[in-house]
Each structure stands twice: as C-alpha cells, then as structure tokens.
C-alpha cells in the first residue's frame, strides 16, 4: 500500500493532537484513504517533555528545516503558530514543492494573499480548515458544500474565550476582570489575553472567511475590531430586559457590491440561535442564496477538535495525491485569477441600531439636553429608559435608537461626553435585529 509521508512542525497542544490522531486512529484513516499516512518526523524545540503518546523511535527532532527539506515528505503540518519562524517554514515548504496544512489564522490573515498565490503557482495545496472555528467544518462547507451559492452573510461566535467570559458575566453577574481570571484559571485564555478579548483572534478568522465567501483578497487591516473588555454586568442586565444577549460577533455581509466585515460586542435577540451558545464553544450562521441559513456549532479550540480539522485537510491532500489531482479545490474557493480586491465598508458608514448608555446627573432637563443632541444629529430614538439607583450622584440613562449612521452616533456621543451633567464615557453597543425597522 502507498505511503504518504507527513512532517509535523510544532509538538505543542494541537501538534500533539495531530500526532495522536495519526498514530492512534491509523487504522480508520488507512481504511478511508487507501494509503498509510506515515508520520515521519515531528520537529519541536522541546524534545524532552512527555506528551503521553508512544512515538516510533527517532521521529522527534529539533530541526524543522530537516523536515521541510526531506525529499520523501509529501505534506508538512505547521502547528507552531505566530508570524516568524512559522512563515519562513511555510514559504520553504511551498518552495520545496510540498503541500502544507496550517491552523495559523494570524499568519493567513496577515500574509495569506502572498502565501496562497505562491502555493497556487507552485502547484501545491495550502490547507487551513483548522484556522477557523476548530472542528466546525466552516471552510470546507463554504468552499465545497455551498459552492453553487452566493454567500450573503456570516455571523459567528469565533472565540471561545470571549464567549466563556461573556457567558460568565451574564450568568454570575461578575465583572469582566473576574470572568477573565476564571478563563485564565481554566487555561482557556492565552497568557497574554489581548488577542482573544481585544477581538483580534476573531478578526483574523472573519478576514479569512470574508475573502473565501465573496472571492476577494484577504484584507485584515480594514476589518473593524472592538473587544469585550468594556462590557459590564449592568449592560448585560439592561440587554436582558430588552430581550437581548450580548455576544462578541464576527459579522460579514455582502450587499450590492459592498462588503461589511466587523467584530464587536453585539446585542442579539433571544430567539437568534447564536444567543443560546454558551461557554467556550463556537458557532456560525452562514446565509446563502440557494440554501437560506445554515448553522455550524462545535468546539472552536482545543487539542483534539483542532487536530481533527487539520486531519481533514491532510486526508483531502492525501486523496488528491493518490488521484493525481492536486490543486483541485482552490484555497480561497475562487480560481486565483478571479479573486478581486473589494473594499470593506468603513465602520463610520455602518447603518444599524444602537444601545447607548449614559451616566447622567438625575436633574431636570438632563434627559432633554441629551436627547436634543441626539436629535440634532438626525438619530431617531426607539425608547428611553432610566432605571436603578444613583451611583456617585449619577443614574444610568439608556436609549435604544432606530437605524442610524455610525458617524452621526459618534458625533452625538462626543458632544454628550463633554457635558458637565454626564460622568463616564457613554457606552455604545450595536444591535443586530432583523425585526427592527
Ligand atoms: N484562542 C481562541 C479561542 C482559540 O479562545 O477561541 C484559537 O483560535
């Protein structure tokens, strides 16, 4: 039986999961592929730590360059992460005419256009199912199952750490800092949690999906990103009163040639399926013209779910090699020559509904001053609420707007923030609710 030789770069959490599946599920993989997937090398700087897997003697080495240069290696799996050495090794792998599988969304979001073009030119596959949504078959679904559709929108919970933190604040009324500490205690958040809670990890993922969905170049720099660190139990409580949950959403839309791609805390109605997604899991709704909506749900991170996604790429490539059909499915779904540069709508041009919360002195005339400024910028209010006790002399004043232009809302907030009767910056949370006018 034919052997497909595999080299794994990075023997950390996900790398260990990949090795585990290749070794422990060898039989089922062989039965399904019709060839042996042979893990020939694993390269990692740490060759000492025990990972709990019985590896064949001598396959764990320190020299990653030996792996990408070995003429017998067919597929290289990059599980190092980051944009330094990982990028150099991927470039080298492509130059050496080998296929590459990666979970490195930061790298693809930043440098994917060049890497995909290089892989296409060299006639090798660069596969990345594990880069978005862990085990959810997001990329395969969009690229293959939905190939006959125009994709119109994607709305996703794509960061388990943020979803865990927001669920904790909502369920237990604790602060963001307390919920983050819990996430860190359980090992969900990274040591430096900025990538997660700042929304950047989610932005990497939606930048990749946006390119894939609409046939455009990856454009990370124009994806609007706002994280969850300012979300308070008070805003979650107000949201619940209005029938909303707050989620960190990745939102991508294509309408009349205009593309939206944004990441921010968002209020969604209880009956939106994404509102019930709690804890560390991920979910994404994809809306397309022939199928309507589909929902994917599953573990977006972790050793085995992410390794499972990487294995799906390895098997795809192995099957392609066996049938001599390399490059059969274009990486970004569209043939390279049909990938366009489509601008992403600046956030100031967004038109949506807003939740606005002010900390205002409880005095006659304050409400009319604030609503007067809002009216001056052409923003129409749907409702106004003043509830709760005074804190430091101020009360929370909440307004829900009709559809308004973000630039107008920001101008109004700047003027309101400068008022003497207002303490603390106004809180702005965007609302996604198709039922509103
Ligand atoms: N840090 C990510 C998360 C997983 O919390 O979902 C890797 O993308």
């Amino acid at each position: 039986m034919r052997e497909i030789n595999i080299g794994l770069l990075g023997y950390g959490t996900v790398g260990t999961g990949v090795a585990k599946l290749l070794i422990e599920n060898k039989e089922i993989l062989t039965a399904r592929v019709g060839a042996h997937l042979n893990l020939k090398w694993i390269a990692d700087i740490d060759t000492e730590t025990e990972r709990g897997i019985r590896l064949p003697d001598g396959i764990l080495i320190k020299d990653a360059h030996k792996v990408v240069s070995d003429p017998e290696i067919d597929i290289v799996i990059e599980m190092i992460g980051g944009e330094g050495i990982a990028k150099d090794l991927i470039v080298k792998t492509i130059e050496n005419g080998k296929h590459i599988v990666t979970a490195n969304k930061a790298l693809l979001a930043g440098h994917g256009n060049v890497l995909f073009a290089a892989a296409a030119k060299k006639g090798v596959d660069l596969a990345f199912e594990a880069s978005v949504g862990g085990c959810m078959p997001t990329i395969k679904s969009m690229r293959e199952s939905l190939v006959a559709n125009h994709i119109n929108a994607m709305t996703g919970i794509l960061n388990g750490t943020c979803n865990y933190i927001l669920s904790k604040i909502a369920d237990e009324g604790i602060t963001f800092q307390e919920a983050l500490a819990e996430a860190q205690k359980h090992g969900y958040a990274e040591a430096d949690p900025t990538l997660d809670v700042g929304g950047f990890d989610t932005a990497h993922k939606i930048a990749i999906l946006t390119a894939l969905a609409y046939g455009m170049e990856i454009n990370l720099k124009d994806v609007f990103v706002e994280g969850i660190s300012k979300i308070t139990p008070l805003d979650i409580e107000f949201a619940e009163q209005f029938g909303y949950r707050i989620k960190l959403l990745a939102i991508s839309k294509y309408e009349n040639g205009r593309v939206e791609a944004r990441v921010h805390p968002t209020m969604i109605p209880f009956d939106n399926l994404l509102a019930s997604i709690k804890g560390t899991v991920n979910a994404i709704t994809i809306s397309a013209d022939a199928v309507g909506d589909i929902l994917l749900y599953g573990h977006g991170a972790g050793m085995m779910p992410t390794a499972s996604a990487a294995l799906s790429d390895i098997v795809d490539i192995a099957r392609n090699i066996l049938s001599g059909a390399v490059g059969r499915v274009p990486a970004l779904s569209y043939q390279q020559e049909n990938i366009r540069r489509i601008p992403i709508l600046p956030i100031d041009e967004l038109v949506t509904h807003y939740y606005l919360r002010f900390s205002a002195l409880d005095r006659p005339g304050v409400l009319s001053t604030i609503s007067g400024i809002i009216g001056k910028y052409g923003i129409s209010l749907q409702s106004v609420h003043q509830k709760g006790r005074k804190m430091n002399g101020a009360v929370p004043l909440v307004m829900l707007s009709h559809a308004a232009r973000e630039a107008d809302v920001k101008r109004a907030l700047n003027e309101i923030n400068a008022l003497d009767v207002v303490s603390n910056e106004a809180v702005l949370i965007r609302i996604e609710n198709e039922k509103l006018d």
Side-chain angles (χ1 to χ4, degrees):
M1 188 177 277
R2 166 103 193 247
E3 287 214 329
I4 308 274
N5 284 312
I6 293 171
L8 171 62
L9 309 177
Y11 197 32
T13 305
V14 180
T16 301
V18 168
K20 205 169 154 62
L21 285 177
L22 282 169
I23 292 169
E24 294 177 5
N25 287 10
K26 195 173 179 60
E27 212 170 294
I28 196 169
L29 287 165
T30 305
R32 287 176 175 162
V33 178
H36 289 303
L37 301 180
N38 177 40
L39 182 55
K40 185 173 181 201
W41 300 117
I42 303 177
D44 196 284
I45 44 171
D46 175 6
T47 54
E48 300 303 323
T49 302
E50 183 51 54
R51 273 85 161 182
I53 305 177
R54 279 178 65 90
L55 294 179
D57 285 346
I59 74 164
L60 181 57
I61 57 172
K62 285 186 192 284
D63 184 4
H65 288 279
K66 179 170 177 174
V67 178
V68 302
S69 311
D70 180 345
E72 286 187 356
I73 289 288
D74 299 292
I75 307 172
V76 171
I77 309 162
E78 183 276 307
M79 291 292 164
I80 298 169
E83 298 178 45
I85 178 89
K87 180 169 173 238
D88 296 343
L89 289 166
I90 288 178
V91 168
K92 235 343 190 336
T93 301
I94 295 169
E95 279 171 8
N96 290 346
K98 300 179 191 311
H99 307 288
I100 180 103
V101 173
T102 182
N104 195 335
K105 60 251 158 192
L107 179 61
L108 292 181
H111 305 278
N113 296 322
V114 174
L115 295 173
F116 287 125
K121 192 157 170 224
K122 192 73 188 180
V124 296
D125 284 322
L126 167 48
F128 53 105
E129 183 65 62
S131 66
V132 178
C135 68
M136 297 192 305
T138 318
I139 287 157
K140 208 181 209 355
S141 300
M142 288 171 56
R143 202 167 50 188
E144 297 180 46
S145 308
L146 301 178
V147 69
N149 287 251
H150 290 97
I151 294 173
N152 305 316
M154 296 168 285
T155 311
I157 293 171
L158 297 178
N159 186 277
T161 305
C162 287
N163 204 52
Y164 172 86
I165 291 172
L166 291 174
S167 306
K168 270 284 198 207
I169 302 175
D171 291 347
E172 298 174 20
I174 58 178
T175 63
F176 165 77
Q177 286 303 341
E178 289 165 336
L180 172 59
E182 283 280 313
Q184 284 172 317
K185 195 174 88 190
H186 291 293
Y188 300 144
E190 309 288 330
D192 172 6
T194 324
L195 265 184
D196 292 318
V197 300
F200 305 108
D201 174 76
T202 306
H204 293 150
K205 293 166 183 169
I206 202 65
I208 294 169
L209 295 184
T210 296
L212 191 71
Y214 315 130
M216 58 189 267
E217 288 182 355
I218 299 171
N219 178 3
L220 174 66
K221 82 174 178 20
D222 291 333
V223 175
F224 173 77
V225 190
E226 185 182 297
I228 62 166
S229 60
K230 291 187 184 153
I231 297 297
T232 63
L234 181 63
D235 294 310
I236 290 187
E237 201 182 306
F238 273 120
E240 300 260 335
Q241 285 171 24
F242 305 134
Y244 293 122
R245 295 251 153 72
I246 300 178
K247 295 287 178 191
L248 182 74
L249 291 190
I251 299 171
S252 174
K253 296 182 184 176
Y254 183 90
E255 204 174 3
N256 303 326
R258 286 155 68 104
V259 170
E260 279 178 30
R262 49 194 167 99
V263 174
H264 50 73
T266 312
M267 290 193 184
I268 47 173
F270 292 155
D271 64 2
N272 182 319
L273 290 172
L274 296 178
S276 59
I277 306 297
K278 283 194 174 186
T280 57
V281 280
N282 284 195
I284 184 166
T285 308
I286 303 169
S287 309
D289 60 355
V291 297
D293 287 353
I294 65 165
L295 176 75
L296 300 173
Y297 166 94
H299 292 286
M303 178 191 283
M304 299 318 293
T306 313
S308 166
L311 257 293
S312 78
D313 281 340
I314 295 167
V315 166
D316 276 352
I317 294 174
R319 286 171 170 160
N320 285 347
I321 293 172
L322 293 175
S323 60
V326 162
R328 194 180 60 84
V329 182
L332 286 177
S333 192
Y334 287 68
Q335 299 295 333
Q336 192 71 27
E337 65 273 18
N338 295 327
I339 293 177
R340 299 164 295 160
R341 189 169 290 172
I342 310 177
I344 292 176
L345 191 75
I347 194 70
D348 277 353
E349 289 178 36
L350 175 69
V351 175
T352 192
H353 298 78
Y354 293 87
Y355 161 98
L356 308 170
R357 178 169 63 77
F358 307 97
S359 299
L361 293 184
D362 197 6
R363 273 201 214 143
V366 171
L367 174 57
S368 68
T369 305
I370 292 177
S371 52
I373 294 172
I374 287 179
K376 188 173 91 184
Y377 287 97
I379 302 154
S380 168
L381 292 173
Q382 188 194 124
S383 60
V384 177
H385 311 258
Q386 183 188 320
K387 270 193 187 160
R389 279 172 291 134
K390 275 188 207 170
M391 282 162 62
N392 304 325
V395 287
L397 189 60
V398 171
M399 301 184 178
L400 299 180
S401 82
H402 285 294
R405 209 170 136 257
E406 178 121 349
D408 297 329
V409 174
K410 294 230 179 95
R411 274 193 210 109
L413 293 193
N414 281 341
E415 200 168 320
I416 294 167
N417 284 337
L419 295 174
D420 289 343
V421 292
V422 164
S423 58
N424 300 336
E425 284 225 324
V427 172
L428 171 162
I429 301 177
R430 299 167 190 86
I431 301 171
E432 282 284 305
N433 184 353
E434 286 163 8
K435 289 181 211 124
L436 295 178
D437 56 7

